[in-house]
Structure formats: C-alpha cells, structure tokens
Amino acid sequence: MKQRMCSLFLALVLLLSLAVPAAAAGTMPFTDVKESDWFYSYVKTMYDNELVSGTTPTTFSPQDTVTLGEALKFVLNAAGYTAPTTSGKNWASGYYQLAQEKGFLNSSWSLGLNDAMNRLQIAELIVNVLGVERKQQTASPFTDTSDVAALILSDHGIFEGTTERDGKTYFYPQRNISRAEISTVICRVNEFKKNQEQTPDEPDNPPDIPDDPGTIDPDDDNSKPTSGKYFYYQGHKVYIPDNIALRDYDASLFQLDENGYMHYESDLYTSTVGVDVSRYQGNIDWAQVKASGVDFAILRLGYRGYGTGKIVLDTYFRQNIQDAQANGIEIGVYFFSQAINEAEAVEEAQYCMDVLQNYSITYPIVFDWEPYSNNTNARTNGLSDKMLTKCAVAFCQAVEDGGYESMVYSNLSYFYLHFDMSKLAEFPLWLANYVKKTNFRYHFDMWQYSCTGTVPGIQGNVDLNIRLIPKT
C-alpha cells in the first residue's frame, strides 16, 4: 500500500549487524576488496546475499561513485520493492518510475540516472523511503550540515561523519558517495529495520500494568490522557484509554499456510485472507488471485496529492473493482489521505462514497493517513497529532453517516504515539505490523502482516492481510 509503511527488510538480513558484520563462508571474486579493508565485511555481506554485484566479474570498484540509478536499485531492492517493467532505454528507468510515483525523489534534485549522488542526496533518499523521524531533538553533531536527513540517519546510527581538525565532525554533504560506503549504509539500514520490526515491543504475556496518577492539560495540543494504566513504547510512556478495547487474540493461533497466508481460528474468531492493491500492482489476474485462496481485497480508491492537495482517482480502481468482484472477491477501499483539517477529511470521505455509488462493497472504507519526510514540501508537514486525530474521526464519522463501515489504518508508532486513541475507540483498526506474532495491545479488526507477499496473478510484491471475524 504504502508510501512509508512497507518494511525495509528481507529474510536474508537476519545475517546483518550494526557493528561490522562477520564475513560469511566462501570467497568473493573481487581482486580489489581485501580482508584488511574497512568495508570488506559489508561488501561481502551484500554480495553473499545478492544485493550487490561487481563492475566486472573480478572487480568491485569500491571507490567508484554511485549513480542515481544504482542508488535507487540498492535502496528499493533492500526495501522489498520490485521495479516495474519499463520501455525506457536506461536499465534503471523502472526504479526511477517507481520512486517518482511514490514520492521518494526530492524535487530539488537535477539528476539523471547516470549522474553521481552525493552523501546528502543518498541520506535524503533513504529517509524518504524509511519515513523515519528524528530520534532526539539535539543540535547537529556535524560542523558542515544541519540537514534533517543527515541528522535522522545519524540519530539511528545509519550514517556517520568523519572527525577531522580540532575534534570537529564533518558529514561532507556534497562529497560523492562511493560503492564501499553505500554497501555499509544499506547494511545498517537493513539492520535498523530488522530491529525495529522484529523486536517485540512487549512480552506476549505482559505483566500487570501500573496505574499512574496524573493530569490532563486542557491546553495541551495533543490532549491525550496522561493518567491511568500505561506501558512503554520506544522509550515513551503510553497511556491506555479507559474506553478502548484491548487485544483478546491468542498469539499462538495465528498461523501461516504454505502460501504465506495468515489464518486464525478460535472459539471466538475466524478469519479471511486478503490483499491490498493500487496502481503500483499494475494489471492483476483476479481469477488467479481468487484461486490461490484470497477472500478479499482492499483497493486504493484514490489519494490527495501531498503537494497540490488535489484529489485523484487511482487509475486502476475501476478495473480492479470490476474484475475482482467478477471473480467473487469481496471488496473494501482505502483512501490515501493528506487532509490537513476536518473539512478536507470529510471531502475525502464524500469523494469515496460518490465514486462507490455504482458499486456494492462489503468491506470498509479506510482512512489511510501517512506522513511524508520533513525534507519534502508536503502540505501535511507540521500537522499536529490533535488535528490528525480530528481528521480521522471526521473521515470515519462521515463514512458511517453515509451507511458504510469505516476503519483507520496505521502502524504501532502512530497508533501509540500520535493518534489520540480515546477518540478512535469506536472505529475499527487496521494494523500495519510486519511480524509473525504481533504484540499490539489494542483490539484490531484487520492486520497487514507483510508488504513483501507473493500472490499468483499479481506481479511483484503485494501487501498481505488477515481480517478477524467474531463468531456469533
């Protein structure tokens, strides 16, 4: 689905480490990469896992500069994206098309696919794909830049500077990045995401949660509860609203079948298998999708431009809904919101309902709001958590008033740290959490557990979902 949510890890990255990775068994064919080189283990890890190749069969050219095309391939492949086929003459044109459509390219760049990228541009690209924010609001550790992308990657240990002259640290933002450096950075990106996505935020059976006497500041822009039961997430104390339903699923009952589809069966719940798709999946053979065991599909109906604010219909929506329903697949829709106030959120909800007048759907209309990196010109930059919550409520309430089922899509970070969940308690949640056993504390109705799934009839990777259905 997503501009930012899709996990930046593959199974192979279990071998990686933020420290210099240990060399795997076997040898590389490159005569210009020696075991004594500082980058040897990084290059070897990338080579062993088929994430990088040589410039010739026997040379790696570690000091050669990295072009925009090469950088897009490195970063997007590590993210699990598959470049669409393209008729472009440049081998990297498919990666460029994908990055452009998803908003990963900085509009201020004037780069061709064969142009060298500097260290700051690589940092901006990685931040755009990860969608991460600053870990700590401290002064820049670098003497020569305070660019937010460099600071974000420094916070997370992904990009380092060089200490020179009087103990000062330099980032060298305009210096071209080398193939040795990009291998190091991609290894660290993968390890960062592995730790972020695979480390449980809590035990399966959490201890009793203490009560914390506190107060709610009526002038606080976020106005979230600040008293009662709480837990910690990413170093933040998160208060549990009194009115929200907690997770009541047995984690051991979530099971993957031979196709990689998640199922759940208990005395209380059963489940269905689903995908979510948009124009990025291209032409889909829905007959094959149905035959593989998929029960439902959540289709992107449209989106609001992050820069223009214009509402746009997904170019494949009508084809997808007609063909999917013709093959017996149940349908819901999501709208990629970039609303900055309640009026815009209601406008988005009404747009969805207007488009759906000629269709019948059995799954929800979903509010999907996602942030763009701070180094873009996104109109949503600086949107407060309070207004974000108001937008979600306004969208869902308009959908419910129109006779449809609503839902809010997000990940652990936004559900825990940004949305005021006391205001969303009456609306179903669609959780994005790319793990086999989620520890999300609140009740969720749908779970997007993979963004790198494979489904017959769909080219490339696709998001996989499970919907939990109460037994009556």
Side-chain angles (χ1 to χ4, degrees):
M1 191 177 192
K2 317 294 169 285
Q3 307 285 341
R4 295 292 184 267
M5 302 291 186
C6 189
S7 168
L8 277 173
F9 74 94
L10 302 170
L12 56 89
V13 306
L14 293 174
L15 300 173
L16 304 178
S17 169
L18 259 179
V20 176
T27 59
M28 289 187 295
F30 308 134
T31 58
D32 54 354
V33 179
K34 300 179 176 60
E35 290 193 36
S36 58
D37 292 329
W38 66 267
F39 50 83
Y40 172 83
S41 292
Y42 292 108
V43 173
K44 192 170 192 313
T45 299
M46 296 281 283
Y47 176 78
D48 287 343
N49 291 293
E50 299 181 354
L51 292 179
V52 68
S53 57
T55 52
T56 74
T58 59
T59 58
F60 181 74
S61 305
Q63 302 309 321
D64 279 8
T65 57
V66 176
T67 67
L68 173 61
E70 291 171 329
L72 291 173
K73 178 182 178 180
F74 286 145
V75 176
L76 293 176
N77 279 353
Y81 289 106
T82 301
T85 56
T86 176
S87 58
K89 294 181 179 180
N90 190 293
W91 66 269
S93 57
Y95 292 103
Y96 184 86
Q97 176 185 329
L98 177 63
Q100 189 174 49
E101 289 176 346
K102 288 185 173 292
F104 293 157
L105 300 175
N106 193 320
S107 59
S108 66
W109 295 347
S110 299
L111 293 174
L113 285 169
N114 294 321
D115 291 336
M117 293 195 78
N118 62 42
R119 288 165 56 87
L120 184 56
Q121 289 166 339
I122 287 287
E124 291 173 346
L125 176 63
I126 293 171
V127 166
N128 286 349
V129 175
L130 265 66
V132 289
E133 301 174 351
R134 289 215 65 188
K135 188 176 182 180
Q136 50 193 356
Q137 297 301 317
T138 57
S140 172
F142 305 119
T143 299
D144 53 352
T145 187
S146 58
D147 185 274
V148 66
L151 302 187
I152 289 171
L153 297 192
S154 174
D155 286 350
H156 293 285
I158 294 171
F159 230 129
E160 299 175 348
T162 301
T163 302
E164 296 182 2
R165 301 195 303 275
D166 302 323
K168 295 180 179 179
T169 301
Y170 294 81
F171 185 80
Y172 295 112
Q174 302 307 315
R175 177 182 290 177
N176 290 339
I177 193 164
S178 69
R179 286 168 55 83
E181 289 176 312
I182 196 68
S183 298
T184 304
V185 169
I186 295 300
C187 280
R188 290 172 173 172
V189 165
N190 279 318
E191 178 63 14
F192 165 76
K193 293 307 296 182
K194 175 175 77 80
N195 289 336
Q196 183 184 61
E197 301 291 352
Q198 293 182 311
T199 302
D201 61 284
E202 58 170 315
D204 283 339
N205 296 302
D208 290 340
I209 305 169
D211 285 310
D212 181 33
T215 59
I216 298 177
D217 182 357
D219 296 323
D220 181 6
D221 186 53
N222 294 330
S223 65
K224 301 184 183 73
T226 57
S227 63
K229 294 185 181 300
Y230 66 91
F231 60 95
Y232 283 94
Y233 176 74
Q234 295 184 350
H236 298 273
K237 184 182 285 187
V238 181
Y239 291 91
I240 301 176
D242 292 334
N243 62 336
I244 198 165
L246 300 180
R247 184 190 73 222
D248 59 350
Y249 305 122
D250 181 344
S252 67
L253 297 181
F254 287 104
Q255 299 293 329
L256 292 173
D257 65 19
E258 65 277 5
N259 296 319
Y261 298 162
M262 185 81 75
H263 301 272
Y264 186 94
E265 192 70 30
S266 73
D267 293 338
L268 299 177
Y269 296 95
T270 187
S271 66
T272 53
V273 173
V275 296
D276 60 88
V277 301
S278 68
R279 61 170 290 190
Y280 300 118
Q281 278 68 47
N283 288 307
I284 296 173
D285 186 333
W286 287 103
Q288 286 192 50
V289 174
K290 177 64 175 179
S292 75
V294 171
D295 303 302
F296 71 90
I298 309 297
L299 312 177
R300 187 176 74 164
L301 185 146
Y303 62 93
R304 185 187 290 274
Y306 74 89
T308 65
K310 180 181 178 181
I311 291 179
V312 181
L313 182 72
D314 187 288
T315 53
Y316 276 79
F317 172 72
R318 296 194 187 279
Q319 175 181 321
N320 279 334
I321 192 170
Q322 291 167 4
D323 293 351
Q325 288 186 327
N327 284 281
I329 292 177
E330 295 193 73
I331 295 298
V333 303
Y334 73 91
F335 186 89
F336 185 85
S337 172
Q338 288 290 280
I340 57 175
N341 54 51
E342 294 169 278
E344 286 193 351
V346 171
E347 179 188 20
E348 292 169 352
Q350 187 60 55
Y351 178 81
C352 291
M353 291 185 287
D354 289 345
V355 171
L356 290 171
Q357 283 184 348
N358 297 323
Y359 305 100
S360 176
I361 65 172
T362 53
Y363 274 62
I365 298 177
V366 184
F367 177 79
D368 170 26
W369 189 98
E370 299 174 29
Y372 273 80
S373 172
N374 290 336
N375 66 344
T376 71
N377 295 319
R379 60 202 300 274
T380 52
N381 281 349
L383 189 73
S384 71
D385 292 348
K386 182 176 181 180
M387 180 53 68
L388 171 61
T389 302
K390 286 184 175 181
C391 288
V393 171
F395 181 100
C396 290
Q397 194 58 63
V399 167
E400 299 279 348
D401 291 345
Y404 293 89
E405 180 183 0
S406 69
M407 185 173 279
V408 178
Y409 168 91
S410 201
N411 61 6
L412 275 73
S413 177
Y414 265 75
F415 280 141
Y416 284 158
L417 303 181
H418 295 280
F419 283 112
D420 180 351
M421 297 305 293
S422 68
K423 304 296 193 301
L424 299 185
E426 64 182 284
F427 303 115
L429 303 182
W430 180 5
L431 172 67
N433 188 204
Y434 308 126
V435 292
K436 293 181 180 179
K437 308 289 183 184
T438 181
N439 287 311
F440 186 59
R441 287 184 179 265
Y442 306 142
H443 181 84
F444 54 90
D445 288 72
M446 203 149 67
W447 173 20
Q448 183 188 77
Y449 56 89
S450 175
C451 68
T452 56
T454 56
V455 173
I458 300 178
Q459 294 183 355
N461 297 321
V462 66
D463 299 333
L464 297 178
N465 301 274
I466 181 173
R467 188 171 193 186
L468 286 303
I469 303 172
K471 291 182 176 179
T472 56

